[in-house]
């Protein structure tokens, strides 16, 4: 029996049982058989969730790019590794073979190295979805530098916060980016961010759009000439399995963003293993994940997982609505995509459009469809199944997180029967538990509780950069000896999991995790605002949209409300980015608070979703009269 590629349900159960009975042996076999190591491990796993400390494959040495690139050169050198599809459909797609990729990554590694970047240094990458993004990520991994990709839709403040938090010396960016009909001045955003980042020494700039930008002497350099002069080979740095690979920021419910720290060996084998099984990837398939590499989905399932399997992975620069709402399907037809992986928010947006956009194209190459990022509602699931998959393609509803590094709960297509809105069963090596409010594990089915994981898996984050205590407090303190996901879940009679959503103050808007606290902090910077509270409410396309309750200072009371609304959204755009703009803003004379001064978001959430039949326990409220007022205004 091969552990590595599950082909039917019985085999899934066999593999799963084996993985739980002896996880170390299970992962050791995967690691032995499918990867190249410079040196094998002394110990497969050492862990202690109370510290928390998790170490996989201690003593082993490797370089992840050797696994993702070099070892494919002999048999797949001429195979396309990255297929780049530009924003403009009239611009030609680019096939980057494994051999090309090797040369490009090595040249970039030489450039970074000549600019003084060494093993362990942090490099922030702020690039659109162009090949330089993947090449920069891999070049960092090649020399052992820690990459931190910041989504190129984030504002200058969000960028500078991340640069300073991880202490990056270098930023890689581009002059600008295309997004449908628009161009965005990325370099201008970087310049603004760097006013607050004294430690950045070098900015490397890729050319993408035709614009004039400022280049600061001694700091900024165009990438192209440097790459042209660089040597096309670079010996991979030998890394320990537990050496950091990257930091990726995710929103927290309080305070600044959390720099999730991922390490090398375990992350590699887990993303590769899950890519192979969840997408049932086979040689000559053309796999496309529509995510941005600025998110974990792009790290694990555009770059590392696919390349570790020698796959062809598509990178799409554009948006689903440009030049029209048929763009995704045009690309599927054009490149004969076999696996297509996207987010529920994109599915909902496309489902709103005329079916003619999809009927025009031949989608018969598709074999597996995936979704990720938030719960998929029943209607969207059926639309995806009926119109994209034409009922021939299993849908893999993949549940996971930035923190988990890879997919934890998902059907294995052609093995696990799917069920709309259910992520179904844990993948091999994953041991979920549902916990009740008192902290006890709920045994038996059906069940409804807080989702935890009881045992380490290889790609879990090891820490929060610069704040291990926060890592412990956030994930390992709610339930003893368990990793707490922050999500709630149901388990049905047969043991299938359905994720019901966050139980903390993170709101998922169009698949983006947004913490309420940073948005509130931003709003509160507006001179007329006294206080604010943000909650989510259901939205047809975005899944959730943001509803803000805002209390004004006396000086703000006389101001025009519509102007204030515009200004508040402007402040949010500046501090966080347009994705965090509020759909609704209600001005109130106060916010409902507990006696200990905590805002009762639960009540505000109910009012925003027009679900005011039963507000639950309001006995701890300090100011119940304010609830009446807010309800009257809102309804
Ligand atoms: C990969 C990714 C993580 C949060 C997670 C959960 C939600 C992700 C989901 C899902 C229901 C799914 N989530 N996949 N909810 N069904 N298939 O999205 O990582 O950006 O860190 O978000 O997204 O709430 O806790 P990240």
């Amino acid at each position: 029996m091969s552990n590595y590629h599950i082909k039917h349900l019985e085999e899934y159960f066999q593999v799963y049982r084996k993985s739980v009975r002896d996880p170390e042996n299970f992962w050791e076999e995967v690691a032995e058989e499918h990867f190249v190591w410079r040196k094998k491990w002394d110990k497969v796993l050492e862990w202690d969730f109370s510290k928390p400390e998790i170490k996989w494959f201690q003593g082993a040495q490797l370089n992840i790019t050797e696994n993702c690139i070099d070892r494919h050169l002999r048999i797949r050198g001429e195979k396309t590794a990255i297929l780049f599809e530009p924003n403009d459909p009239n611009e030609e797609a680019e096939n980057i073979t494994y051999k090309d990729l090797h040369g490009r990554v090595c040249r970039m590694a030489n450039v970074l190295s000549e600019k003084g970047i060494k093993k362990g240094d942090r490099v922030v990458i702020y690039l659109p979805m162009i090949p330089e993004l993947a090449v920069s990520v891999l070049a960092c991994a090649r020399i052992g530098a820690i990459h931190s990709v910041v989504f190129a839709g984030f504002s200058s403040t969000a960028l500078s916060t991340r640069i300073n938090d991880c202490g990056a010396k270098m930023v890689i960016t581009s002059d600008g980016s295309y997004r449908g009909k628009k161009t965005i001045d990325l370099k201008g955003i970087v310049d603004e961010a760097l006013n607050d980042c004294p430690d950045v020494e070098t900015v490397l700039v890729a050319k993408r759009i035709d614009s004039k930008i400022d280049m600061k002497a001694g700091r900024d350099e165009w990438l192209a000439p440097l790459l042209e002069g660089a040597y096309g080979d670079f010996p991979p740095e030998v890394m320990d399995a537990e050496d950091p690979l990257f930091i990726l920021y995710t929103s927290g419910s309080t305070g600044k963003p959390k720099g999730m720290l991922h390490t090398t060996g375990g992350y590699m084998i887990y993303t590769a293993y899950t890519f192979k099984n969840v997408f049932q990837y086979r040689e000559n398939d053309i796999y496309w994940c529509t995510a941005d590499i600025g998110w974990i989905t792009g790290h694990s399932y555009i770059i590392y997982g696919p390349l570790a399997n020698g796959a062809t992975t598509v990178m799409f620069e554009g948006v689903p609505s440009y030049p029209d709402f048929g763009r995704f399907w045009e690309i599927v037809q054009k490149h004969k995509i076999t696996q297509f992986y996207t987010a529920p928010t994109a599915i909902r947006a496309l489902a709103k459009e005329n079916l003619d956009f999809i009927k025009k194209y031949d989608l018969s190459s598709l074999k597996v469809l995936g979704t990720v990022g938030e719960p998929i509602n029943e209607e969207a699931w059926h639309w995806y199944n009926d119109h994209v998959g034409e009922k021939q393609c299993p849908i893999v509803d993949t549940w996971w997180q930035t923190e988990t590094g890879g997919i934890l709960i998902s059907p294995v297509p052609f093995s696990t029967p799917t069920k709309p809105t259910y992520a179904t069963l844990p993948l091999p090596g994953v041991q979920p538990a549902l916990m009740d409010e008192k902290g006890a594990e709920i045994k038996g089915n059906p069940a409804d509780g807080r989702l935890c994981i009881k045992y380490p898996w290889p790609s879990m984050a090891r820490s929060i950069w610069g704040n291990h205590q926060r890592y412990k407090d956030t994930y390992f303190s709610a339930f003893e000896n368990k990793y707490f996901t922050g999500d709630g879940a149901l388990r049905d009679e047969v043991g299938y999991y359905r994720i019901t959503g966050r139980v903390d103050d993170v709101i998922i808007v169009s698949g983006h995790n947004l913490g309420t606290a940073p948005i509130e902090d931003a709003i509160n910077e507006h001179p007329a605002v006294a206080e604010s509270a943000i909650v989510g409410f259901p939205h047809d396309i975005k899944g959730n949209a943001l509803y803000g309750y805002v209390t004004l200072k006396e000086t703000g009371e006389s101001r025009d409300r519509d102007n204030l609304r515009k200004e508040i959204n402007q402040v949010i755009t500046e501090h966080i980015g347009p994705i965090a703009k509020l759909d609704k803003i209600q001005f109130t004379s106060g916010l409902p608070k507990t006696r200990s001064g905590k805002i009762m978001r639960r009540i505000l959430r109910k009012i925003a979703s027009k679900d005011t039949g039963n507000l639950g326990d309001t006995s701890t409220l300090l100011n119940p009269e304010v609830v009446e007022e807010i309800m009257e205004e809102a309804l």
Side-chain angles (χ1 to χ4, degrees):
M1 179 179 69
S2 152
N3 284 338
Y4 199 67
H5 199 174
I6 296 166
K7 286 173 228 62
H8 50 82
L9 188 59
E10 201 184 315
E11 190 177 354
Y12 161 79
F13 282 118
Q14 280 173 12
V15 170
Y16 185 78
R17 276 194 296 268
K18 179 172 161 185
S19 77
V20 173
R21 221 172 22 239
D22 190 348
E24 294 174 41
N25 180 44
F26 176 81
W27 289 116
E28 181 161 42
E29 272 181 42
V30 172
E32 288 260 6
E33 283 169 31
H34 301 279
F35 300 90
V36 292
W37 303 87
R38 289 293 182 99
K39 176 176 167 283
K40 291 281 166 73
W41 42 93
D42 306 317
K43 195 167 181 198
V44 177
L45 173 65
E46 194 171 296
W47 67 292
D48 179 349
F49 277 175
S50 72
K51 284 184 179 166
E53 186 180 270
I54 302 111
K55 291 182 175 159
W56 284 92
F57 305 107
Q58 261 188 94
Q61 291 183 328
L62 74 155
N63 186 289
I64 195 167
T65 69
E66 220 168 4
N67 283 274
C68 288
I69 306 173
D70 303 53
R71 66 164 161 155
H72 303 309
L73 293 177
R74 202 169 46 83
I75 38 172
R76 302 190 181 96
E78 300 306 324
K79 177 178 174 175
T80 302
I82 295 176
L83 202 173
F84 172 61
E85 172 68 29
N87 176 63
D88 178 355
N90 298 317
E91 189 183 328
E92 229 174 286
E94 192 183 343
N95 285 289
I96 302 169
T97 65
Y98 275 93
K99 203 165 133 227
D100 299 335
L101 185 63
H102 177 263
R104 290 177 71 158
V105 168
C106 286
R107 275 192 291 277
M108 180 71 92
N110 277 309
V111 169
L112 298 186
S113 165
E114 275 155 31
K115 293 284 162 203
I117 297 297
K118 301 178 304 296
K119 178 174 176 175
D121 288 344
R122 277 80 61 208
V123 174
V124 163
I125 302 173
Y126 186 70
L127 277 170
M129 284 285 284
I130 56 176
E132 285 84 348
L133 172 50
V135 168
S136 302
V137 162
L138 291 162
C140 286
R142 186 106 178 153
I143 68 181
I146 304 171
H147 56 78
S148 186
V149 182
V150 176
F151 173 57
F154 273 130
S155 70
S156 59
T157 319
L159 176 60
S160 62
T161 309
R162 286 159 176 76
I163 291 171
N164 288 332
D165 186 79
C166 72
K169 297 206 284 192
M170 176 189 274
V171 176
I172 307 177
T173 188
S174 66
D175 53 349
S177 65
Y178 292 119
R179 211 177 149 71
K181 272 187 250 157
K182 288 191 288 192
T183 54
I184 296 160
D185 173 23
L186 282 194
K187 179 62 168 49
I189 298 173
V190 171
D191 289 341
E192 211 176 301
L194 293 191
N195 288 333
D196 300 324
C197 305
D199 298 335
V200 172
E201 294 161 7
T202 315
V203 179
L204 300 178
V205 187
K207 180 131 201 74
R208 179 56 182 145
I209 67 172
D210 240 352
S211 67
K212 284 228 161 17
I213 58 167
D214 291 331
M215 295 291 276
K216 188 171 167 188
R219 186 193 73 184
D220 303 350
E221 273 193 79
W222 289 105
L223 245 179
L226 295 174
L227 288 170
E228 254 161 51
Y231 185 53
D233 201 0
F234 188 98
E237 180 75 31
V238 177
M239 306 292 285
D240 287 342
E242 281 298 340
D243 276 339
L245 176 64
F246 66 87
I247 298 166
L248 185 61
Y249 285 87
T250 186
S251 311
S253 50
T254 53
K256 45 180 197 171
K258 297 174 286 193
M260 302 313 306
L261 179 69
H262 283 281
T263 59
T264 309
Y267 176 82
M268 173 180 77
I269 70 161
Y270 193 82
T271 53
Y273 178 83
T274 50
F275 173 75
K276 179 86 174 168
N277 279 298
V278 171
F279 299 102
Q280 287 292 301
Y281 173 78
R282 287 171 198 264
E283 196 74 45
N284 304 324
D285 283 350
I286 312 282
Y287 161 89
W288 179 23
C289 166
T290 69
D292 193 289
I293 290 171
W295 311 116
I296 190 68
T297 306
H299 282 59
S300 302
Y301 299 108
I302 294 179
I303 299 183
Y304 289 114
L307 296 179
N309 281 284
T312 298
T313 175
V314 175
M315 250 182 103
F316 175 45
E317 182 186 28
V319 293
S321 55
Y322 178 79
D324 63 37
F325 285 98
R327 186 67 193 278
F328 273 6
W329 321 124
E330 187 244 332
I331 296 173
V332 169
Q333 170 179 299
K334 175 175 167 192
H335 297 303
K336 300 195 170 52
I337 302 294
T338 44
Q339 290 92 351
F340 177 73
Y341 190 26
T342 195
T345 183
I347 298 169
R348 286 191 297 264
L350 294 169
K352 282 214 136 173
E353 301 301 323
N354 197 313
L355 272 181
D356 290 343
F357 283 120
I358 194 164
K359 285 194 183 133
K360 278 212 314 236
Y361 299 103
D362 175 8
L363 307 184
S364 61
S365 56
L366 289 170
K367 297 195 286 191
V368 176
L369 302 176
T371 96
V372 59
E374 56 188 319
I376 179 164
N377 50 305
E378 188 125 12
E379 211 184 328
W381 195 98
H382 284 295
W383 186 87
Y384 201 26
N385 188 43
D386 295 352
H387 300 296
V388 182
E390 293 164 357
K391 297 198 165 85
Q392 303 299 307
C393 304
I395 294 178
V396 290
D397 179 353
T398 64
W399 173 83
W400 57 297
Q401 310 176 295
T402 304
E403 295 85 337
T404 70
I407 300 167
L408 296 193
I409 303 182
S410 165
V412 175
F414 312 108
S415 296
T416 321
T418 59
K419 177 175 176 182
T421 77
Y422 281 75
T424 76
L425 298 171
L427 292 175
V430 176
Q431 304 189 33
L434 292 181
M435 312 298 292
D436 68 19
E437 282 179 9
K438 296 198 184 72
E441 182 172 350
I442 312 169
K443 301 273 168 99
N445 300 335
D448 178 356
R450 293 172 179 229
L451 180 61
C452 286
I453 313 290
K454 293 195 274 194
Y455 198 87
W457 63 98
S459 67
M460 66 191 297
R462 304 297 196 258
S463 192
I464 290 175
W465 181 261
N467 199 343
H468 197 67
Q469 185 63 39
R470 187 172 180 202
Y471 181 60
K472 177 177 171 167
D473 294 344
T474 312
Y475 304 104
F476 297 90
S477 302
F479 302 99
E480 202 188 339
N481 210 23
K482 289 181 182 62
Y483 166 79
F484 175 45
T485 65
D487 284 334
L490 305 173
R491 192 167 56 214
D492 75 1
E493 296 73 18
V494 301
Y496 274 21
Y497 286 87
R498 175 187 184 163
I499 314 303
T500 48
R502 307 288 308 190
V503 295
D504 57 13
D505 289 333
V506 174
I507 305 172
I508 304 191
V509 178
S510 298
H512 303 312
N513 285 15
L514 299 172
T516 53
I519 304 175
E520 289 163 7
D521 290 349
I523 299 176
N524 298 349
E525 300 254 316
H526 189 289
V529 171
E531 200 179 27
S532 63
I534 305 298
V535 298
F537 70 101
H539 185 279
D540 279 358
I541 290 173
K542 303 185 200 175
N544 294 296
L546 300 177
Y547 194 122
Y549 297 89
V550 176
T551 319
L552 294 173
K553 290 182 187 155
E554 242 176 62
T555 50
E557 281 297 342
S558 57
R559 303 256 331 254
D560 176 71
R561 298 293 151 109
D562 283 337
N563 275 341
L564 274 176
R565 287 194 175 91
K566 277 191 205 126
E567 288 174 22
I568 288 171
N569 269 330
Q570 187 54 35
V571 179
I572 296 175
T573 304
E574 279 159 20
H575 280 76
I576 297 158
I579 47 175
K581 281 209 266 194
L582 308 182
D583 272 44
K584 287 198 186 145
I585 299 177
Q586 181 180 347
F587 295 101
T588 73
S589 68
L591 298 169
K593 291 196 181 156
T594 63
R595 276 156 223 282
S596 61
K598 260 176 120 35
I599 298 171
M600 271 221 185
R601 283 170 216 281
R602 182 170 52 82
I603 290 176
L604 295 174
R605 222 176 277 139
K606 287 203 158 186
I607 298 173
S609 343
K610 300 201 170 14
D611 167 23
T612 48
N614 174 14
L615 288 181
D617 180 17
T618 51
S619 62
T620 56
L621 269 181
L622 187 68
N623 49 351
E625 69 292 344
V626 106
V627 176
E628 292 298 318
E629 178 209 307
I630 292 177
M631 276 217 295
E632 239 166 66
E633 272 265 343
L635 302 177

